[in-house]
Amino acid sequence: QQGIGQPSVYHAVVVIFLEFFAWGLLTTPMLTVLHETFSHHTFLMNGLIQGVKGFLSFLSAPLIGALSDALGRKYFLLLTVFFTCAPIPLMRISPWWYFALISVSGIFSVTFSVIFAYVADVTQEHERATAYGLVSATFAASLVTSPAIGAYLSASYGDNLVVLVATLVVVVDIGFILLAVPESLPEKMRPASWGASISWEQADPFASLKKVRKDSLVLLICITVFLSYLPEAGQYSSFFLYLRQIIGFGSASIAAFIAVVGILSIIAQTVFLSNLMRLIGNKNTVLLGLGFQILQLAWYGFGSQSWMMWPAGAVAAMSSITFPAISALVSRNAESDQQGVVQGIITGIRGLCNGLGPALYGFIFFLFHVELNELPPDQTSGKKAIQDLGDERAIVPGPPFLVGACIVLLAFVVALFIPEHSKASSTRKNSNSISATLSNNLDQSGEEDIEPLLQDSSV
């Protein structure tokens, strides 16, 4: 196989790290370009751009997941990374084309879907929770230092150098995939004729969602993912703007905040996640993560001083254990050759949230007349920034975050109904008894092997 060594989680980790390290470098220049391009209704326009990107990801995720099950993971990693990062060189050349390309790049912005399928190919089931935690922690690690580096380079040498460095990082990532990443999906797991194995029903995200409701466990997981990630996606799209405009953080403070939360997220997703999964189980780990997320969003919503954001960030780091725990639960309900499709559905739901969440937050900011009329200087204090608000917003500085806390509370209620034991484990127990019963008849019958539970790859 092409690549270096045997396929492993570490190949996936490097790909994720480099991709999001490149985007992390652009945190400070992005705020400047966004304000210069859309000086009016900045939060709303930012929400619409990210919304289009997220909705396109929702539409394309099941198809890309299904194709990766048929053709392999390597080249779909290449496609997703290339097209996701394609807008970066245009940031300073043509901001309008940059934002337009960001919107369109949502078609391929499903790297996590392919990465989680890659990890599922190379790990045993009992290893996946830890492996998914490692991937998510790497995502956090990529954002620990890159915004600070980007802010320093921007202040010292200008935004053009930051864009150049980010572009070079993307080139290294693409080269790593081409030369070093081996294919993780064995040839025997691929269908003989991939065209016959891909149907419109698999590629249609809405058909996939209709199929999901036939499986009560997957349905509950999908609803939980939707309700928990909707406010998270809105938060990601606007939080740095919020810190800069409303709370009064400077570029250095934003970079430091990202670094601290990133480090704590790494600890949460590596040290705490595996221990929690072992001690309290998969479901309770998900519930704990949702509880931290509710507290975090409420804290952001009521926080009016810069010092209040730091402990809220620590709570946010603990809430990052939710999605790796959910991904591990989902992987237990998919056959080895269907991991791409199943993870694609979940990633598709997250993509839908990436569309609706930013638009929702942008609209709520717009309703409460929160505008980025002027970029405050880096030395602006949180106290001064909050004094510029009206009395109504001073009581609740971040209305979208409070709405998000209520939505996650609904997710918590739904997650309470997720069964303690996964369907896959009970299926394996049943299959063991079935195989014992049929073992004496297999030699006499010419029938095919029993189809796996998730033979319909749409589910």
Side-chain angles (χ1 to χ4, degrees):
Q1 293 185 350
Q2 295 180 350
I4 298 176
Q6 295 298 316
S8 68
V9 177
Y10 300 105
H11 290 96
V13 161
V14 173
V15 173
I16 283 292
F17 180 86
L18 292 175
E19 176 179 344
F20 288 97
F21 185 87
W23 280 107
L25 289 171
L26 301 176
T27 301
T28 298
M30 171 79 84
L31 298 179
T32 303
V33 173
L34 188 63
H35 173 247
E36 291 175 351
T37 308
F38 307 106
S39 56
H40 300 289
H41 307 312
T42 310
F43 282 102
L44 182 62
M45 291 304 300
N46 178 58
L48 292 177
I49 291 168
Q50 298 297 329
V52 172
K53 177 182 178 181
F55 189 72
L56 290 176
S57 298
F58 163 73
L59 295 177
S60 64
L63 175 61
I64 292 179
L67 287 173
S68 75
D69 283 333
L71 301 177
R73 319 293 185 198
K74 178 185 175 79
Y75 293 108
F76 282 94
L77 282 177
L78 183 64
L79 282 175
T80 55
V81 171
F82 177 81
F83 284 102
T84 300
C85 299
I88 290 178
L90 296 177
M91 175 178 278
R92 300 303 301 178
I93 298 175
S94 176
W96 280 97
W97 277 107
Y98 167 73
F99 287 113
L101 200 55
I102 280 182
S103 301
V104 177
S105 71
I107 297 174
F108 290 97
S109 296
V110 290
T111 307
F112 267 107
S113 173
V114 185
I115 283 292
F116 280 143
Y118 191 100
V119 170
D121 292 340
V122 300
T123 56
Q124 300 297 321
E125 183 179 305
H126 67 277
E127 302 172 331
R128 284 179 192 157
T130 302
Y132 289 153
L134 180 61
V135 171
S136 297
T138 302
F139 163 71
S142 67
L143 299 179
V144 168
T145 56
S146 55
I149 295 173
Y152 171 76
L153 292 177
S154 176
S156 302
Y157 304 101
D159 290 344
N160 290 337
L161 180 64
V162 182
V163 175
L164 176 61
V165 173
T167 303
L168 292 177
V169 172
V170 172
V171 171
V172 171
D173 196 11
I174 293 173
F176 178 80
I177 296 172
L178 280 172
L179 302 176
V181 175
E183 177 57 56
S184 65
L185 190 66
E187 287 285 349
K188 63 181 180 181
M189 301 300 297
R190 306 182 207 176
S193 175
W194 69 269
S197 68
I198 304 298
S199 64
W200 168 246
E201 189 175 16
Q202 290 175 267
D204 180 8
F206 300 101
S208 299
L209 295 179
K210 293 176 183 177
K211 289 285 187 180
V212 161
R213 67 185 179 185
K214 295 182 179 180
D215 188 315
S216 59
L217 173 62
V218 178
L219 175 61
L220 290 173
I221 292 174
C222 288
I223 295 175
T224 301
V225 170
F226 178 81
L227 293 176
S228 64
Y229 196 71
L230 181 66
E232 187 175 345
Q235 172 190 317
Y236 284 155
S237 70
S238 59
F239 190 58
F240 299 145
L241 280 173
Y242 177 78
L243 288 178
R244 186 82 175 267
Q245 170 73 0
I246 307 303
I247 306 301
F249 273 42
S251 298
S253 298
I254 291 176
F257 183 87
I258 295 172
V260 170
V261 175
I263 292 172
L264 294 177
S265 297
I266 295 170
I267 296 173
Q269 295 174 26
T270 52
V271 178
F272 290 113
L273 178 63
S274 57
N275 290 327
L276 287 172
M277 292 280 286
R278 185 177 66 256
L279 294 175
I280 65 176
N282 205 325
K283 173 185 173 180
N284 290 331
T285 302
V286 173
L287 292 174
L288 184 62
L290 292 174
F292 279 119
Q293 188 178 359
I294 294 171
L295 178 59
Q296 160 222 331
L297 288 169
W299 207 323
Y300 284 159
F302 286 112
S304 59
Q305 302 294 331
S306 58
W307 66 266
M308 297 180 181
M309 297 295 105
W310 296 93
V315 177
M318 284 303 301
S319 71
S320 66
I321 64 176
T322 305
F323 186 65
I326 290 178
S327 296
L329 188 60
V330 170
S331 70
R332 295 179 181 179
N333 291 269
E335 298 297 327
S336 59
D337 61 339
Q338 301 297 326
Q339 292 290 336
V341 173
V342 179
Q343 296 292 350
I345 292 174
I346 298 299
T347 303
I349 292 175
R350 284 165 61 93
L352 181 61
C353 293
N354 282 330
L356 298 177
L360 174 66
Y361 270 49
F363 182 67
I364 295 175
F365 275 126
F366 177 73
L367 286 180
F368 282 82
H369 308 291
V370 180
E371 294 293 341
L372 189 62
N373 297 321
E374 181 181 354
L375 273 177
D378 282 356
Q379 300 302 320
T380 301
S381 66
K383 183 177 180 180
K384 179 180 177 182
I386 205 68
Q387 286 174 348
D388 294 336
L389 300 173
D391 292 338
E392 181 181 359
R393 292 209 310 274
I395 298 173
V396 184
F401 303 108
L402 267 176
V403 173
C406 296
I407 295 174
V408 179
L409 182 60
L410 293 177
F412 185 91
V413 173
V414 173
L416 288 173
F417 294 94
I418 296 177
E420 185 67 34
H421 302 288
S422 67
K423 182 175 179 181
S425 60
S426 61
T427 302
R428 282 191 295 273
K429 293 178 181 177
N430 292 336
S431 65
N432 289 337
S433 61
I434 292 173
S435 61
T437 304
L438 297 181
S439 59
N440 294 330
N441 299 330
L442 289 178
D443 294 336
Q444 299 175 0
S445 64
E447 298 177 357
E448 297 291 334
D449 293 339
I450 300 174
E451 293 183 350
L453 174 66
L454 296 184
Q455 183 67 41
D456 185 350
S457 57
S458 298
V459 184

